[in-house]
Amino acid sequence: MELVDFLKQTQTEIKEELIGRQADNSQVLPFEDELFTEVITNHMVEVGMTFDNTVMCHYHAKVGNANVKISGYAISEELDQLDLYVSLYNDVDEITHLPDSETKKSVEYCYRFLTMTADGKLAGKIAENTEIYTFVKTIEAVFSDLDQIRIYVLTDCKVKSKQFQSREHAGKTIKLEVIDIERLYNHTQSGKPRDELVVNFTQAWGEALPCVWVPGQFEEYDYAMTVIPGEALRHLYDKYGQRILEANVRSFLSQTGKVNKGIRDTLRNEPDKFMAFNNGIVIVADEVALERNSEGTPGISWLKGMQIVNGGQTTASMFFTKKKYPDTDLSIVRVPAKIIVLKKSNSVQEENLITDIAKYANSQNAIRQSDLAANNPFHISIEKLALSTFCPDGTSRWFYERAAGSYKVMLEREGKTTAGINALKKTIPTKRKITKTDLAKFMCSWMQKPDVASLGGQKSFAVFMGIVAPSEEKKPFDPQPSDYKKIIAQVIIFKETVRLTRPMFEAFKANINTYSIACLAYHYADKINLNEIWDNQSLSEGLEEMIKEYAINVNELLRKSAGEKMISEWAKKPTCWEYIQKNIPKISIHSQAIEF
């Protein structure tokens, strides 16, 4: 796929998503630039560039004489890393060059939003009942504890300068980067552009890295095995940051994940065993300089065009662990490294080789939990039931997207022509498409686990799988046709709740929705006839009124119990659900709530 094809595919994805949401009353209808932010940050999550809890938050205002702007954000669970996004969407379908002045202006707007917030100068100018206000208060509270701050400018154009000089504010380093259509394309293709970096190990460590050098054995590359001191890796990340990891399919996210936490703990508690425990890193480079080290053995003096294609987590962990725990001793840490020095040949073949190296070197790591679970018997059963179960009208169906993108594939394969695709969309409309992560959210809400549903797509999905497809000692859930109809009824309840609450609240609708449904089920799950909802493919007027009343009470309780905490983060805690359960009033059942 060429860059222009990727651009057109991305624009088509945005347009189709917008059309789908227009047809689905349960979806909040965004502007195209907001949807662009959502689509691009989803891509960034998929390739490991940002966190899997990105929040769209369009805010553009003039405060005094200063413009401030933000399009979205993501913050780590430990509240120690923050990503901010600001979008420049031009809706172009040809490669269009954007002047650096435009990206610099957007950087300034977002940087000003951050610094004014950190200095406590913005909260007083924002309405307190908005989501942006709570986010601003959160930044105020955690800014001093942040270890990493990044501002990303997102654009569908092509820009020359993709990185700007980092800035300092109140003792914090703020990294400024641009994700243009070219950089995003390179990331999604796994073959990443290599900066012309010259990494001098003699300067970083004092002498050349001892190595086993294997020249001339392969047509496309030379090969070396070495070990890199942990302090040298820390120095490289400190100096070059993400530039040295540009070819890596994942960027460093946080130290709370299982693997990264293990790296951190080994560095702190058993640094002498790090080399034995760690798989090592893989490096590609364009040129190498060899010299004898102090012991007279071959050594690598410097590498040009160096990129770490596997081992970004290890490299960044050296920096962040030492920064957070200054007593960490990296002087005895050694990291095994495999170095591929590319021979100057066909540029296309070279990039293909880098792509394959990155792909296979990272193949041992899971990208998305939901994708890995696609072949679980539970999902296969739901898919079969969706294909074979027609709605009461006898013609329309729901669609379960067991594999990502299968809805689009189905339309193109079975519809064949534009007219055929449009006819198929009438019987299986976009509003009746259910993804695996959506199903997890819908069912967890009805199962009275709103704290789990609030975790975000992949994390809530992982918990959900533990419920429906537990370990061998427990019998997995094998859905039958009657179960499927009740599951779809739960989907309808959630989608209709979204529609009902959309005009009622300014912020945190996602949390209000899942908690409202959980409260309804907490009080009346045994009385609400899910089969009636399936038969009618809608809710009764009485049930709709009950949901709205629950939503009003849930909104008040969430705000009261959250205090200064961000509601979207507080809602993820089991203690939040415990509080809501104890304090939610039981709404009197409406006469038309059960019967249509």
Side-chain angles (χ1 to χ4, degrees), residues 557 560 578-586:
L557 290 174
K560 179 180 178 181
E578 291 170 6
Y579 175 87
I580 299 294
Q581 280 179 296
K582 291 178 182 178
N583 293 278
I584 190 74
K586 187 174 184 179

Side-chain angles (χ1 to χ4, degrees), residues 371-409:
D371 291 334
L372 293 175
N375 291 324
N376 184 278
F378 171 79
H379 298 294
I380 293 174
S381 295
I382 294 292
E383 181 185 51
K384 288 180 178 178
L385 289 166
L387 291 171
S388 61
T389 307
F390 286 86
C391 294
D393 61 14
T395 58
S396 60
R397 288 190 288 117
W398 287 77
F399 186 89
Y400 187 59
E401 195 169 59
R402 180 173 66 87
S406 59
Y407 178 77
K408 183 178 180 180
V409 171

Side-chain angles (χ1 to χ4, degrees), residues 226-256:
T226 186
V227 292
I228 301 179
E231 186 57 43
L233 274 184
R234 185 207 66 78
H235 168 78
L236 292 176
Y237 188 84
D238 186 27
K239 183 176 182 178
Y240 299 112
Q242 288 299 121
R243 293 174 67 198
I244 207 164
L245 305 180
E246 193 73 21
N248 197 295
V249 297
R250 297 174 188 81
S251 298
F252 182 77
L253 298 182
S254 74
Q255 295 187 323
T256 58

